[in-house]
């Protein structure tokens, strides 16, 4: 089931006889250490140089992953160049993944309390707008998936 905007629990079911559906969602984000405090400077994306190895596995298995990307991935060609190619070829979907500490605007104090969901609504909305705009600029389409 899923919860609708009005708070109702609605069933989600494929048509009768439809095979099971698998959604492969891949967090595609900057490199940082979860055990350390949030750091706006921890925004490297060098690991994205290896994403092709994973995409090859998906291609060989006939799976179309959804890469949910954050702002650092979208901000650097080395973070998104391969994904742009995969998306253009229809080999993946691109979604959005907000890490507010590395996503502009940078007006909030960095703290353990301020990850997604705890920011003032207008600030979180602006961060999401900027992430969505960056994704559209890089990939040519708005994300349909948000994690």
């Amino acid at each position: 089931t899923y919860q609708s905007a009005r708070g109702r629990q609605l069933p989600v079911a494929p048509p009768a006889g439809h095979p099971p559906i698998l959604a492969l969602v891949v967090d595609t984000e900057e490199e940082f250490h979860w055990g350390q405090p949030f750091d706006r400077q921890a925004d490297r994306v060098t690991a994205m140089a290896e994403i092709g190895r994973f995409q090859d596995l998906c291609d060989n298995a006939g799976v179309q992953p959804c890469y949910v990307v954050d702002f650092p991935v979208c901000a650097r060609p080395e973070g998104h160049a391969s994904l742009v190619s995969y998306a253009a070829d229809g080999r993946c979907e691109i979604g959005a993944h907000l890490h507010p500490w590395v996503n502009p605007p940078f007006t909030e104090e960095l703290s353990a309390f301020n990850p997604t969901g705890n920011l003032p609504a207008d600030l979180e909305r602006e961060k999401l707008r900027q992430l969505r705009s960056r994704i559209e600029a890089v990939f040519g389409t708005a994300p349909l998936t948000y994690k």
Side-chain angles (χ1 to χ4, degrees):
T1 66
Y2 78 95
Q3 188 169 346
S4 73
R6 293 194 172 116
R8 292 182 35 214
Q9 293 292 319
L10 301 173
V12 175
H18 193 282
I21 296 171
L22 170 69
L24 178 58
V25 178
V26 182
D27 289 12
T28 314
E29 56 198 31
E30 81 283 359
E31 300 155 25
F32 67 98
H33 190 291
W34 277 107
Q36 299 295 319
F38 294 119
D39 180 356
R40 289 199 170 101
Q41 304 308 311
D43 61 355
R44 296 175 15 157
V45 293
T46 59
M48 290 302 295
E50 301 296 329
I51 196 69
R53 296 170 57 202
F54 178 74
Q55 184 63 47
D56 288 345
L57 290 171
C58 292
D59 292 343
N60 291 336
V63 174
Q64 183 186 24
C66 176
Y67 295 105
V68 288
V69 299
D70 71 353
F71 202 89
V73 170
C74 291
R76 295 191 173 86
E78 67 270 24
H80 62 257
S82 294
L83 298 180
V84 168
S85 174
Y86 305 152
D89 292 345
R91 296 164 60 197
C92 72
E93 177 186 336
I94 302 297
H97 185 56
L98 179 64
H99 281 183
W101 58 94
V102 289
N103 195 121
F106 300 118
T107 59
E108 77 280 10
E109 176 184 333
L110 287 181
S111 73
F113 181 76
N114 277 342
T116 305
N118 288 335
L119 295 174
D122 58 336
L123 176 57
E124 189 158 328
R125 188 176 302 110
E126 179 58 20
K127 286 180 177 281
L128 286 167
R129 188 196 67 72
Q130 289 196 31
L131 176 58
R132 181 179 188 264
S133 293
R134 179 60 64 118
I135 291 171
E136 285 181 296
V138 169
F139 295 96
T141 186
L144 298 177
T145 301
Y146 172 69
K147 179 180 179 234

